[in-house]
């Protein structure tokens, strides 16, 4: 191999690889600490809105750490990060739109408490659905 092919010396390449290795180890430790925080927060007496806010925030931080380092996007061109985030925003927007489109308040309460559908089953036979509506 010529010197032009590898402008860095063997020791410099090893040092760079060592830094990357330690970055991955530190990130794994960071993610494990955040996972521990998520588990602890679940058992604390927080209001549900605060609990979901904290859990979603920590999950988003963990998500971006994983995609940036473990998927090596941090070393790629900025255009690839922009394309990934654009796809993520489209997916999130679709999810929010669907959640707002279909709400529990839109369901007829009579359907939720309908007892006309009776389910019969026995160990020897499959589930049989009978309706008491004629």
């Amino acid at each position: 191999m010529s010197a032009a092919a590898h402008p860095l010396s063997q020791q410099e390449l090893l040092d760079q690889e060592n830094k990357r290795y330690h970055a991955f180890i530190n990130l794994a430790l960071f993610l494990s600490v955040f996972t521990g925080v998520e588990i602890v927060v679940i058992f604390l007496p927080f209001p549900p809105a605060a609990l979901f806010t904290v859990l979603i925030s920590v999950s988003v931080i963990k998500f971006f750490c994983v995609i940036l380092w473990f998927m090596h996007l941090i070393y790629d061109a900025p255009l690839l990060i922009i394309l990934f985030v654009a796809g993520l925003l489209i997916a999130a927007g679709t999810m929010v739109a669907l959640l707002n489109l279909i709400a529990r308040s839109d369901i007829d309460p009579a359907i939720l408490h309908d007892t006309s559908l009776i389910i019969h089953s026995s160990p020897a036979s499959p589930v049989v659905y009978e309706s008491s509506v004629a």
Side-chain angles (χ1 to χ4, degrees):
M1 292 262 154
S2 67
H6 294 290
L8 299 175
S9 70
Q10 184 71 18
Q11 185 59 40
E12 290 171 335
L13 287 172
L14 285 174
D15 289 342
Q16 283 183 355
E17 190 63 31
N18 219 6
K19 278 192 224 178
R20 285 185 179 176
Y21 174 76
H22 288 293
F24 283 115
I25 296 297
N26 288 335
L27 181 62
L29 293 172
F30 173 77
L31 291 173
S32 64
V33 167
F34 263 64
T35 301
V37 167
E38 285 177 328
I39 292 170
V40 168
V41 165
I42 290 171
F43 294 106
L44 294 177
F46 286 134
L51 180 69
F52 287 131
T53 302
V54 168
L55 290 176
I56 289 173
S57 301
V58 171
S59 294
V60 166
I61 291 169
K62 286 173 50 178
F63 173 76
F64 277 105
C65 287
V66 168
I67 67 161
L68 287 176
W69 277 280
F70 290 127
M71 290 176 58
H72 305 287
L73 283 180
I74 199 165
Y75 305 116
D76 287 337
L79 177 63
L80 295 176
I81 296 173
I82 292 169
L83 290 174
F84 186 85
V85 171
L88 182 68
L89 291 176
I90 290 171
T94 303
M95 183 188 74
V96 168
L98 287 174
L99 288 174
N100 286 326
L101 182 66
I102 304 168
R104 186 172 171 89
S105 62
D106 295 335
I107 299 173
D108 185 12
I111 294 172
L112 295 175
H113 304 292
D114 190 10
T115 59
S116 65
L117 186 64
I118 303 168
I119 300 174
H120 297 286
S121 68
S122 68
S125 65
V127 175
V128 177
Y129 296 97
E130 294 179 6
S131 179
S132 62
V133 178

